Amino acid sequence: MKMTPTHAADAAPPLGGEPQGQTALSSRLVVTGIWAAGLALLTVVLALTGLDYWSARQTMLQDSRVEAAIVADNIAAATMFGDARTTTEMLGALKSSPMMLSADVYDLQGQLLAHYGRDPGQPHPPTFAKTGMGGALERAGLQVLEIAQPVGIAGAPAGTLYVRKSMSAVYARLAIRFASALLIAGCTMAMAVAMVLRSRAAVRHAEHRLHALAHTDAVTGAGNRHAFNERLAAEIARAQTQGTRVALVYIDLDNFKTLNDTFGHAAGDGLLRQVARRLQSVVRGTDAISRLGGDEFAVILRLDMDEVGLNSYGHRIVATFRNPFVEVGQQLMLTCSAGIATFPGDAADMDSLLSNADTAMYRAKELGKNRCVRFEASMNQAVMRRQAIEHALRAALQQGEGLALHYQPLFSTKDHSVVGAEALLRWSHPELGHVSPLEAVMVAEECGLIAPLGYWVMRTACRDAARWQAGGPIRVSVNVSARQLGDPQFLERAMDILREEGLPAQQLEIELTETVLMENVEAGAHTLHRLSQLGIHLAIDDFGTGYSSLGYLRQLPVRRLKIDRSFIKDLPGQEHSRTIVTAIVALAHGLGLQITAEGVETPEQADYLVRQGCDVLQGYLFARPMPDAQLQALLQGAPRV
């Protein structure tokens, strides 16, 4: 198989994976939220610092006023008498105030009387006018606070005290407070970021876990239907964009229900897990396996191979089921049927692709199962016919038109008398034409109409057989499906039909195949025993063709075995057929059962069967299936038991 290498940049996305854009957007939202919180916290710190600055400035201004007033009172007398030396000495006490830059005392004429300066080299205004205060009592700048305090005694002015104080201490205190607040805010922010990141990691883990649970099959660990739909839609979108192709392999396990019911659901789940592992072992790393539910799987692959390679791919999937599965300590044989369809070759959209792959899978089952079938456009015609048959069958059952029964007589080998007749379905439709019984029954099984159809056949056969009894007792045989036998009301409805149509119970024979018996051996045992007690006969149809244990012959009230026509057609020339027929006859008679051979077409077959001890013969050699009126005419001229 020729395959194109897959580049890393073009690798397939994880099955049901979270989109990368969604992850990036989520991360950006988290980062944006953290930055917003940090800016908000910084804004609060700055606002608090500004408020603290304003408060400290007002406090300093108020304290400085009080301090200037005290100093003015102390130097009032000295200033009044113009004592510069005493005033200067008194101003020297201000050196204990670290924020005091200078203090000047001016007399009433505005001339400098005394001066104190922390920095002796710093110039000072020689007159009060040079201070620039004018008539203002205070002036607050960013670096210096200036206060002009009048000096006087008992209301008599003596001069003016001019004080200059530094704002550096306020700024130092603010810087410490700002740094502390910023440090606290930073630590708080760091803790908040750590908590957010930790919470985000926990949320991401939970999201990934929930995402995995939502996209993973709980039994097999493969993708589920939700993941399948997402992956298939993504692959189709990619194929449309890049002009490539996608293939879908639809897989259904053959007879899984029988194994699941026989060995239990735990064993069934174990089988499903083994199936998933085997599929994983034969597909490529870029292919996606999903369990769609029940016993159905699907494989999505990017189609980088030709038709030969694709068919080989499908056959490789089927071949992986050849080896037996080991479960509950037993070796179990399990096969699969697979259908393949491609986009855009076989389908224009996702729904059509899935439908066509499913159609191909059902075609594989019709061909005998255990195979892979490539979809063809002609298969849709079969689907359309199946749908048309379903609609027509529903209408026919409701209206009672088109459906009819033909009867094939059964002849005794002892006296060639007619001992019964088997009811066979016939259906003629104005548009569909003559629909074969096999096709009608298959569609009825698929669409859930097999039970209503079975009851219609039983009622019609009992009504016709009631009219036959006038010339002597004759039994009518009716085939019953597994679904009809499993109907909880089967016993009640069968008795109602016999009573309403007036047919004695002993004149009705119910035919069941071995497969039907094995599917219902436990649930239907009570029903079959009750029917037998009421007089209804039970026959095993197509005996020898099913896969089952012969134990049911002892457990169930069987009265007749019918040898399948596949063993009759080669008589008497084929040795294997002779051996099988002889063994079946001996088995039946050994268990006290009657034996009927169906499909007898030649005198040689009839003679051989009579010599082997068959009790009843049925086939074209004696009579073909015929309408009720023709059978009644035959019964009037034929001997009866």
Side-chain angles (χ1 to χ4, degrees):
M1 182 186 303
K2 184 178 180 181
M3 300 183 184
T4 304
T6 302
H7 298 284
D10 203 32
L15 189 60
E18 187 177 1
Q20 294 181 356
Q22 182 177 346
T23 303
L25 177 61
S26 178
S27 299
R28 286 198 297 271
L29 289 175
V30 171
V31 172
T32 302
I34 292 175
W35 274 108
L39 290 175
L41 193 59
L42 180 60
T43 301
V44 171
V45 170
L46 291 175
L48 291 176
T49 302
L51 182 62
D52 192 22
Y53 169 73
W54 179 84
S55 176
R57 188 183 181 92
Q58 291 298 112
T59 300
M60 180 178 176
L61 180 59
Q62 185 176 0
D63 292 345
S64 298
R65 288 173 184 166
V66 173
E67 185 180 13
I70 294 173
V71 173
D73 288 343
N74 292 335
I75 64 173
T79 303
M80 177 70 72
F81 293 102
D83 188 350
R85 181 171 174 273
T86 302
T87 303
T88 302
E89 290 177 353
M90 296 180 70
L91 291 179
L94 294 176
K95 66 181 179 180
S96 60
S97 177
M99 292 188 294
M100 185 66 68
L101 295 177
S102 64
D104 299 296
V105 178
Y106 297 91
D107 58 18
L108 290 175
Q109 288 72 35
Q111 297 298 316
L112 181 65
L113 177 64
H115 166 73
Y116 163 77
R118 184 171 294 276
D119 184 2
Q122 183 70 28
H124 51 275
T127 64
F128 182 73
K130 294 291 184 178
T131 62
M133 294 293 292
L137 296 179
E138 58 188 41
R139 182 170 60 190
L142 293 177
Q143 300 295 330
V144 177
L145 174 63
E146 299 171 276
I147 295 177
Q149 178 66 39
V151 180
I153 299 177
T160 302
L161 173 64
Y162 173 62
V163 176
R164 296 175 69 247
K165 300 186 73 173
S166 173
M167 297 287 291
S168 60
V170 174
Y171 289 127
R173 187 163 58 250
L174 285 177
I176 294 174
R177 291 183 180 180
F178 177 76
S180 300
L182 196 62
L183 179 61
I184 294 173
C187 293
T188 303
M189 190 65 189
M191 293 177 61
V193 170
M195 293 177 64
V196 168
L197 293 178
R198 184 174 181 179
S199 299
R200 181 58 184 165
V203 170
R204 290 291 299 167
H205 178 74
E207 288 176 348
H208 284 303
R209 178 61 178 165
L210 291 174
H211 192 270
L213 291 175
H215 291 77
T216 304
D217 177 60
V219 176
T220 63
N224 58 14
R225 181 173 285 275
H226 184 54
F228 167 80
N229 290 334
E230 286 189 1
R231 177 63 179 272
L232 185 58
E235 291 296 343
I236 288 179
R238 175 185 176 278
Q240 290 174 328
T241 302
Q242 301 184 8
T244 55
R245 297 189 300 161
V246 178
L248 175 63
V249 184
Y250 201 106
I251 304 167
D252 185 88
L253 306 182
D254 300 326
N255 303 317
F256 176 78
K257 182 179 182 301
T258 301
L259 293 174
N260 194 50
D261 293 343
T262 302
F263 297 100
H265 294 292
D269 290 347
L271 278 176
L272 292 174
R273 284 189 286 271
Q274 292 190 56
V275 167
R277 287 195 294 268
R278 288 199 185 184
L279 291 176
Q280 194 67 55
S281 68
V282 297
V283 303
R284 303 171 302 179
T286 56
D287 302 337
I289 300 174
S290 301
R291 181 187 174 215
L292 303 185
D295 57 356
E296 295 180 343
F297 290 81
V299 179
I300 304 171
L301 61 147
R302 295 178 180 178
L303 196 54
D304 50 9
M305 61 187 80
D306 55 19
E307 285 296 320
V308 175
L310 182 59
N311 289 331
S312 177
Y313 186 96
H315 293 311
R316 192 166 74 245
I317 289 177
V318 175
T320 193
F321 289 81
R322 289 178 180 172
N323 295 327
F325 293 83
V326 178
E327 193 67 38
V328 293
Q330 299 189 43
Q331 288 191 347
L332 305 177
M333 296 303 302
L334 182 65
T335 60
C336 77
S337 299
I340 301 178
T342 63
F343 172 89
D346 299 324
D349 53 43
M350 176 175 165
D351 292 338
S352 299
L353 180 62
L354 184 59
S355 175
N356 291 345
D358 183 60
T359 298
M361 182 273 292
Y362 274 106
R363 180 58 179 165
K365 286 189 175 294
E366 292 173 359
L367 294 175
K369 304 179 180 179
N370 191 26
R371 66 192 66 217
C372 182
V373 172
R374 183 75 166 81
F375 173 79
E376 298 178 0
S378 59
M379 293 180 184
N380 279 333
Q381 298 176 359
V383 173
M384 294 176 63
R385 176 172 173 81
R386 186 184 297 116
Q387 293 175 347
I389 290 176
E390 177 184 345
H391 294 315
L393 184 57
R394 290 185 186 276
L397 288 173
Q398 292 175 358
Q399 302 169 8
E401 298 178 358
L403 295 175
L405 291 183
H406 283 196
Y407 300 93
Q408 187 172 29
L410 287 77
F411 294 87
S412 171
T413 57
K414 294 180 180 179
D415 52 12
H416 304 290
S417 61
V418 179
V419 295
E422 181 179 3
L424 302 171
L425 180 66
R426 295 293 183 266
W427 183 20
S428 180
H429 189 268
E431 298 178 0
L432 299 173
H434 292 285
V435 182
S436 70
L438 178 60
E439 188 176 20
V441 169
M442 287 181 59
V443 173
E445 287 276 8
E446 293 174 3
C447 66
L449 291 176
I450 191 64
L453 180 61
Y455 288 125
W456 180 90
V457 170
M458 181 180 291
R459 181 175 294 280
T460 304
C462 290
R463 182 184 305 125
D464 292 341
R467 294 193 295 269
W468 307 341
Q469 308 306 315
I474 184 170
R475 187 177 300 112
V476 63
S477 300
V478 176
N479 288 277
V480 172
S481 68
R483 188 168 299 179
Q484 188 178 2
L485 182 62
D487 182 3
Q489 298 181 341
F490 176 73
L491 176 61
E492 181 180 351
R493 296 196 63 175
M495 297 310 300
D496 288 344
I497 290 173
L498 288 173
R499 183 178 61 257
E500 293 168 4
E501 302 302 334
L503 180 69
Q506 61 269 22
Q507 302 308 323
L508 174 63
E509 183 173 75
I510 292 178
E511 294 188 1
L512 303 166
T513 64
E514 292 179 282
T515 302
V516 170
L517 283 175
M518 288 304 297
E519 292 182 2
N520 298 271
V521 64
E522 294 183 3
H526 172 75
T527 300
L528 296 176
H529 278 287
R530 183 65 181 134
L531 290 173
S532 178
Q533 292 170 1
L534 295 173
I536 297 176
H537 289 216
L538 175 63
I540 307 301
D541 195 16
D542 302 333
F543 184 79
T545 60
Y547 52 94
S548 63
S549 168
L550 295 178
Y552 67 84
L553 294 178
R554 294 185 295 105
Q555 301 172 16
L556 302 177
V558 179
R559 297 196 184 187
R560 180 185 305 276
L561 301 183
K562 296 188 69 173
I563 305 176
D564 186 69
R565 64 181 67 249
S566 62
F567 301 128
I568 304 299
K569 65 179 182 178
D570 294 326
L571 292 178
Q574 221 281 339
E575 181 179 356
H576 288 171
S577 295
R578 294 199 307 269
T579 302
I580 292 173
V581 169
T582 301
I584 293 176
V585 172
L587 173 65
H589 288 167
L591 295 174
L593 308 178
Q594 289 194 328
I595 192 78
T596 297
E598 56 183 348
V600 181
E601 298 182 357
T602 67
E604 291 78 14
Q605 293 173 348
D607 292 341
Y608 180 81
L609 292 168
V610 170
R611 291 197 304 270
Q612 295 305 312
C614 282
D615 303 294
V616 177
L617 301 180
Q618 174 186 357
Y620 284 1
L621 176 63
F622 307 103
R624 290 177 176 271
M626 59 189 71
D628 173 58
Q630 186 177 344
L631 178 63
Q632 290 192 52
L634 174 66
L635 293 177
Q636 291 175 2
R640 300 206 197 177
V641 178

